[in-house]
Amino acid sequence: MKILVVEDEPKTGNYLKQGLLEAGFGVDLARDGDDGLHYALTDAYDLVVLDVMLPGIDGWAVLQGIRKSGKDMPVLFLTARDQVDDRVRGLESGADDYLVKPFAFSELLARVRTLLRRGGKTTESEFLRAANLELDLMRRRVSRSGKRIDLTAKEFALLELLLRRQGEVLPRSLIASQVWDMNFDSDTNVIEVAVRRLRAKMDDGFEPKLIRTVRGMGYVLEATECD
């Protein structure tokens, strides 16, 4: 599935693009309103993530141009404009959702998936699997050998990241930014604790063991026996 991000702030735009790519989507990034509208009208997107304050034409005009063209892809406003009037204007102008900056990427991702689901869109990756482990993205459920495993929201996000990148060693810095929306602090053990709890829930009592610590590098999930 393909998402268009229209965001002029370089750091935010790059962060959104990388995060959505990590989540399994195709992503195009436009840096101003004119390019954003051009992309939206000339390519097929499943969803648009749109800022309001943009160089060239603003987000309101981009949305108006999309709707005037007859395109009905969902549009999610992502903006620092947090007044109620702005939210009402966005929704009444044809936006499907409105999220205020600063934001947690996990919430953005949940809203993106909700909008795609409402539109009757499905992806090939509704389920993520490794060996006898299955993660249901839409129902937010995890099972192993048919047994339901209850996870917290952060544990689910961590497992999803590991499954999407299975076989790849993920450094703590990547996990911190993708799951906790924070920069990695070597003085905190939040990631180690979370991985330990996740491993206890989904590896203890099951074979094969899936989550492995790679000393000095990070963590990897792979469907092979580990020593």
Side-chain angles (χ1 to χ4, degrees), residues 35-221:
D35 283 348
L37 181 58
H38 175 73
Y39 280 35
L41 298 183
T42 57
D43 207 339
Y45 294 98
D46 297 290
L47 183 138
V48 179
V49 178
L50 178 63
D51 194 4
V52 171
M53 302 173 68
L54 295 165
I57 63 174
D58 62 20
W60 308 121
V62 173
L63 176 60
Q64 183 179 40
I66 291 172
R67 294 304 183 230
K68 278 188 174 180
S69 74
K71 287 182 174 285
D72 62 353
M73 79 276 271
V75 174
L76 166 63
F77 268 125
L78 180 64
T79 175
R81 298 179 66 117
D82 60 355
Q83 298 300 307
V84 173
D85 288 347
D86 292 319
R87 300 186 193 208
V88 171
R89 179 182 177 184
L91 296 172
E92 289 185 342
S93 298
D96 298 270
D97 202 353
Y98 195 105
L99 182 60
V100 175
K101 299 174 182 176
F103 63 97
F105 184 79
S106 55
E107 180 181 3
L108 171 75
L109 192 58
R111 291 184 182 227
V112 164
R113 288 180 174 143
T114 296
L115 290 175
L116 293 173
R117 190 164 64 246
R118 284 179 191 166
K121 304 287 186 177
T122 57
T123 71
E124 294 180 356
S125 57
E126 247 183 81
F127 294 88
L128 299 176
R129 298 180 176 90
N132 51 9
L133 171 71
E134 180 177 272
L135 184 148
D136 184 335
L137 290 168
M138 295 303 175
R139 295 179 178 83
R140 312 297 287 177
R141 293 178 180 175
V142 176
S143 61
R144 185 119 194 230
S145 296
K147 181 180 179 181
R148 176 81 173 268
I149 299 174
D150 293 322
L151 301 180
T152 66
K154 288 300 184 186
E155 289 168 348
F156 188 96
L158 174 58
L159 179 58
E160 180 182 348
L161 177 62
L162 289 166
L163 276 167
R164 289 192 182 280
R165 303 283 290 271
Q166 61 182 289
E168 180 180 345
V169 179
L170 302 185
R172 291 168 178 81
S173 58
L174 174 65
I175 295 172
S177 65
Q178 292 295 310
V179 179
W180 277 269
D181 300 298
M182 69 178 189
N183 294 323
F184 177 65
D185 183 352
S186 59
D187 293 330
T188 182
N189 66 343
V190 63
I191 297 171
E192 287 79 358
V193 170
V195 171
R196 184 165 63 247
R197 289 176 176 170
L198 178 62
R199 184 184 280 138
K201 288 183 178 182
M202 55 154 287
D203 264 354
D204 288 358
F206 297 100
E207 293 294 338
K209 306 304 181 187
L210 295 176
I211 299 177
R212 181 164 57 94
T213 301
V214 181
R215 191 177 299 277
M217 298 179 65
Y219 302 96
V220 60
L221 185 151

Side-chain angles (χ1 to χ4, degrees), residues 23-38:
F25 298 102
V27 184
D28 284 338
L29 175 59
R31 302 286 189 180
D32 60 53
D34 296 295
D35 283 348
L37 181 58
H38 175 73

